[in-house]
Amino acid sequence: MSLLYRIQHPRDALVVEGSMPITSLYTVGIAGERFFREIMEQARLFATRCPECDVTYLPPRLYCERCFSQLDEWVEAPATGRVHTYTTVHIDLDGNPLPEPRTIAFVRIDDTDGGIVHYLGKVDPSEVYIGMGVEAVFKKKSERKGSITDIAYFRPV
Amino acid sequence: MSGNRVAVVGAGMTKFVRRAQETAKELAWEAASKALESCEMTLDDIDAVVIGTAPEAFDGVHMNSEYLSDGCGGWGKPVIRGYVGGGTGVFSPIQGWYHVASGLFDTVLVVAEEKMSSCQPHPQGAFLTIFDNFIERPLEPNLLWIFALEMNAYMNRYGLSKRDIATVSVKNKRNAADHPAALLGDPNITVEDVLNSEVLAWPVQRLDVSPVTDGAVALVMCAEHVARRVTDKPIWVEGVGWSLDSAYWTNRDLSYPTYVEEAARMAYDMAGITEPRKQIHIAEPYDPFDYKELHHLEGLLLFDKGEAPRAAADGVTQRDGDLPVCPSGGLLGVGNPIAAAGTMKVAEIFWQLRGEAGARQVPGKPKRGLAQAWGDLMQVGTVIILGA
Ligand SMILES: [Zn+2]
């Protein structure tokens, strides 16, 4: 390799700065609109079911990925589940230490074939175990805006 | 013809719209399930999936085909995405063809999707990064620059007027008025409307350009023994071709699309076509801009260089002319969700050759048609020839 590995800073080489000047606005979609509105307005989780494949999708989907049928059967799911797996994160995106380590879990929601990856709260990381029962803690209604972070975290039950 | 015979047996599409509420994968699912329904097949009948989607920055999702895969029917199946920019919509069916022609798969679902409305304030922001970072980007270029420079070069080379070219926009937007999925069909538009529209980058005006669009299109392609079983009207892939010119657009002759000619010659050779002007009955060249339809018709060897505008003025390319061109309404009329737009053209040839194009049906029972797209750094040509 030439210059770059001998210089101290990337800008010591002749460089041009550039970025992609766009912002993405993602619609949550047909199924997502109902899912997030239920969370925002009622603090409830909803799933869609494919009776053909016997699969309950949470987050809900408009169609079954296995048989491609449109899913019209909406079922309320409990806001409870079990820790399928978890980790405790100590650094941020840039590799700097977090002020407080954060425990992240994949929570398999009860009575569904899906789940939600979210924060665990009100629990010491050393006490988390796979299979632990947890429940969603929703933010106050005034603070909910139709986002997955309308759930503040999951806590042990 | 190389490889095993391959047929298109089904097609489906969403409506093309300015801003879809559906997620990208919900759009893909709608098109894919309509294509399957059209030939009474289910996902179980599909061996492999080909996904077409243009720059990831539009959907705003990196590894976009992995994201789209369940909406495209890819669950538990071999899935691939090829990408040649704006040429993708015709390249994806070419990929579908070689999946089957190779003998590896009997049935392939080809799904092309684009959701450009996610990209704010305008997809031009994403296009900025296709330009050379050192030579061009400091000048703050956008796509209209290239098109305007190319259009001007083409007009000057052959002494064409804006009026000669505006007829294409009028034809396609009028044709699109008969397309149930079209975004910009207009049965009453006139050449004066085009000539009086806002100047974007001379000589390109607002109505010379296709719109930012959301939409998806899907095709079912299969081997001959499956095609014979599922339909009595298989439409055969007779030839495919693609070619790339220099990545430096300043090293190209902007008045003539050599890459389209090379792609067309590859496809004609494969199809055994020696006289394309007699043997191609209907054409869907890529028309994101009105002059591009003419440019591409010449590259496809369907008209002599500089002669396509006169033929268009004489009505040759009208739906009831000797060579109907963009009977769908094209990108100018149906809309331009990049990858999906090219596949829409292949679907249109499929419907036309089956006699299923409804109000858009061209007369005379066409037997062979061609769809072409163009893209990458404006230097790729992709061509597919279908026959009844
Ligand atoms: Zn199912």
Side-chain angles (χ1 to χ4, degrees), chain A residues 60-111:
Chain A
R61 306 195 202 165
L62 175 63
Y63 55 88
C64 175
E65 67 181 6
R66 302 181 182 210
C67 71
F68 245 26
S69 53
Q70 183 161 342
L71 302 181
D72 302 314
E73 188 183 335
W74 285 74
V75 292
E76 185 174 353
T80 58
R82 294 194 176 274
V83 172
H84 185 74
T85 184
Y86 67 95
T87 181
T88 301
V89 181
H90 295 269
I91 57 169
D92 69 11
L93 279 180
D94 297 323
N96 302 312
L98 286 169
E100 283 287 325
R102 272 186 153 163
T103 300
I104 312 285
F106 164 19
V107 177
R108 178 80 70 197
I109 299 295
D110 290 337
D111 305 336

Side-chain angles (χ1 to χ4, degrees), chain B residues 355-366:
Chain B
E356 294 174 352
R360 307 186 310 285
Q361 186 64 48
V362 306
K365 292 193 169 56

Side-chain angles (χ1 to χ4, degrees), chain B residues 24-350:
Chain B
K25 52 170 99 184
E26 287 172 342
L27 287 173
W29 165 76
E30 184 181 331
S33 49
K34 282 181 171 171
L36 288 169
E37 272 166 34
S38 77
C39 53
E40 296 179 344
M41 289 171 79
T42 71
L43 212 45
D44 280 346
D45 299 318
I46 296 296
D47 292 342
V49 170
V50 172
I51 299 177
T53 175
E56 309 198 315
F58 289 160
D59 279 343
V61 176
H62 279 298
M63 300 182 44
N64 198 18
S65 69
E66 286 72 12
Y67 162 77
L68 287 170
S69 59
D70 57 276
C72 297
W75 181 77
K77 295 185 194 299
V79 175
I80 194 170
R81 169 201 190 184
Y83 173 56
V84 284
T88 300
V90 168
F91 188 69
S92 296
I94 292 174
Q95 275 192 300
W97 169 79
Y98 60 65
H99 272 54
V100 177
S102 64
L104 197 55
F105 303 106
D106 282 342
T107 53
V108 173
L109 182 58
V110 176
V111 188
E113 176 278 342
E114 216 72 62
K115 192 170 180 205
M116 301 177 73
S117 65
S118 311
C119 197
Q120 297 289 322
H122 195 281
Q124 288 291 356
F127 276 126
L128 183 62
T129 60
I130 71 173
F131 292 94
D132 185 283
N133 285 318
F134 317 113
I135 306 298
E136 292 159 0
R137 268 190 77 177
L139 305 175
E140 299 179 2
N142 66 42
L143 279 191
L144 291 169
W145 287 30
I146 293 189
F147 299 133
L149 291 166
E150 192 175 74
M151 182 169 173
N152 203 12
Y154 177 60
M155 288 169 63
N156 271 278
R157 175 78 160 268
Y158 304 112
L160 305 171
S161 69
K162 283 278 308 184
R163 184 173 292 273
D164 294 328
I165 288 172
T167 59
V168 172
S169 187
V170 170
K171 168 179 69 71
N172 291 1
K173 289 176 194 293
R174 287 187 178 189
N175 282 351
D178 295 321
H179 200 308
L183 171 61
L184 279 187
D186 181 350
N188 302 313
I189 191 170
T190 65
V191 167
E192 301 308 321
D193 293 333
V194 180
L195 297 180
N196 292 331
S197 64
E198 180 191 1
V199 175
L200 304 179
W202 185 260
V204 173
Q205 290 171 263
R206 175 74 63 194
L207 294 180
D208 292 314
V209 189
S210 57
V212 168
T213 313
D214 293 351
V217 183
L219 304 172
V220 179
M221 302 178 77
C222 60
E224 182 165 11
H225 67 278
V226 179
R228 299 283 182 206
R229 196 173 70 228
V230 300
T231 179
D232 53 6
K233 286 193 287 184
I235 298 300
W236 304 102
V237 178
E238 297 189 347
V240 302
W242 68 101
S243 181
L244 266 82
D245 202 338
S246 166
Y248 296 86
W249 57 288
T250 45
N251 286 70
R252 301 202 291 264
D253 172 3
L254 294 185
S255 65
Y256 186 71
T258 306
Y259 42 93
V260 172
E261 179 179 333
E262 289 166 354
R265 286 190 186 279
M266 176 176 164
Y268 292 148
D269 281 351
M270 191 181 295
I273 289 175
T274 51
E275 293 180 282
R277 294 175 201 192
K278 288 185 184 155
Q279 293 170 279
I280 297 293
H281 307 143
I282 175 172
E284 280 277 345
Y286 206 57
D287 63 320
F289 288 68
D290 44 13
Y291 80 95
K292 283 308 276 185
E293 173 170 312
L294 304 166
H295 211 227
H296 290 153
L297 284 170
E298 293 169 15
L300 291 164
L301 309 173
L302 295 172
F303 295 98
D304 288 340
K305 291 182 183 179
E307 292 299 319
R310 184 179 309 160
D314 291 345
V316 173
T317 58
Q318 294 288 333
R319 204 180 266 150
D320 58 357
D322 286 346
L323 178 66
V325 173
C326 291
S328 65
L331 280 50
L332 287 161
V334 188
N336 188 9
I338 311 287
T343 310
M344 179 276 289
K345 289 180 167 289
V346 182
E348 179 70 9
I349 298 293
F350 170 75

Side-chain angles (χ1 to χ4, degrees), chain A residues 19 23 25-27 30 63, chain B residues 21 26 60 70 115 118 120:
Chain A
S19 62
T23 301
L25 289 183
Y26 307 100
T27 58
I30 305 300
Y63 55 88
Chain B
Q21 185 184 358
E26 287 172 342
D70 57 276
K115 192 170 180 205
S118 311
Q120 297 289 322

Side-chain angles (χ1 to χ4, degrees), chain A residues 20-80:
Chain A
M20 202 182 277
I22 55 167
T23 301
S24 296
L25 289 183
Y26 307 100
T27 58
V28 297
I30 305 300
E33 189 88 14
R34 182 156 173 193
F35 177 61
F36 287 113
R37 284 193 186 283
E38 289 287 353
I39 290 177
M40 177 167 62
E41 288 158 16
Q42 308 289 342
R44 296 192 299 196
L45 298 181
F46 269 79
T48 53
R49 238 187 87 64
C50 180
E52 189 74 24
C53 301
D54 193 24
V55 173
T56 301
Y57 291 100
L58 188 137
R61 306 195 202 165
L62 175 63
Y63 55 88
C64 175
E65 67 181 6
R66 302 181 182 210
C67 71
F68 245 26
S69 53
Q70 183 161 342
L71 302 181
D72 302 314
E73 188 183 335
W74 285 74
V75 292
E76 185 174 353
T80 58

